Amino acid sequence: HSDRLSDHTPYPTNLSLPHHIMAALDQGNIIKVVLLLICCAFGLSLGMILLILGCALWNNWWALFAICLYLFAPIPDLLAKILSGVRGSSIDELFVDKPSVSLGEHMGAFFTAVLATLAIGLICILLHANVIPWQTFLFQLAGGLIIGVTIVGGLAAHRVLMFRNKSTEI
């Protein structure tokens, strides 16, 4: 009990988190990291709620195929980064900037963009074919855009936190 009082860390030290997150926590950025996680969770939840509400309110479930495409979209990029072999396969190194990018990583980013574009194109085709009503289309479009902006914003904030940690280590 006395050891616990002498330890002034605001988080458990036996966490198995990536080293850059632990470095951010060690430098007093715990509030920034937690706020980033909360904002990303809120944005993704809001987007998914809009996607599902768009189907449920008008009892037309054809647009759920777009949700499947949104869920599968990041897989090619993550697989390409893991299988590239250039910088290892640890999860904490996936989003680190580096001077050269392999062809596999470019292909992963390309197929991720293809799947995200297909998701939006699918709901446009379903609207044009009068399979889904325009209200469902608007809900699907808004949900997809919120999810996309949340992911891009979360990755950008993650890189900013990593850059600040690297600049304070020097």
Side-chain angles (χ1 to χ4, degrees), residues 52-142:
I52 294 171
L53 269 178
C55 295
L57 290 177
W58 289 274
N59 200 19
N60 190 331
W61 299 96
W62 284 103
L64 279 181
F65 288 112
I67 294 175
C68 294
L69 288 172
Y70 287 129
L71 292 176
F72 291 134
I75 292 174
D77 192 38
L78 291 175
L79 284 177
K81 287 184 178 182
I82 289 172
L83 297 176
S84 68
V86 175
R87 83 184 117 174
S89 62
S90 64
I91 296 298
D92 59 337
E93 296 176 352
L94 284 179
F95 301 105
V96 176
D97 287 332
K98 63 178 187 166
S100 65
V101 179
S102 69
L103 175 65
E105 289 177 304
H106 281 297
M107 288 179 61
F110 173 75
F111 286 118
T112 294
V114 165
L115 287 174
T117 305
L118 278 174
I120 294 174
L122 176 65
I123 60 171
C124 292
I125 291 171
L126 291 175
L127 176 69
H128 182 71
N130 290 326
V131 174
I132 61 172
W134 63 271
Q135 296 96 338
T136 300
F137 171 76
L138 291 178
F139 270 80
Q140 294 288 318
L141 189 63

Side-chain angles (χ1 to χ4, degrees), residues 9 18 28-29 39 44-45 56 68 84 94 128 161:
T9 57
N29 292 334
C39 289
L44 292 173
S45 299
C68 294
S84 68
L94 284 179
H128 182 71
L161 277 176

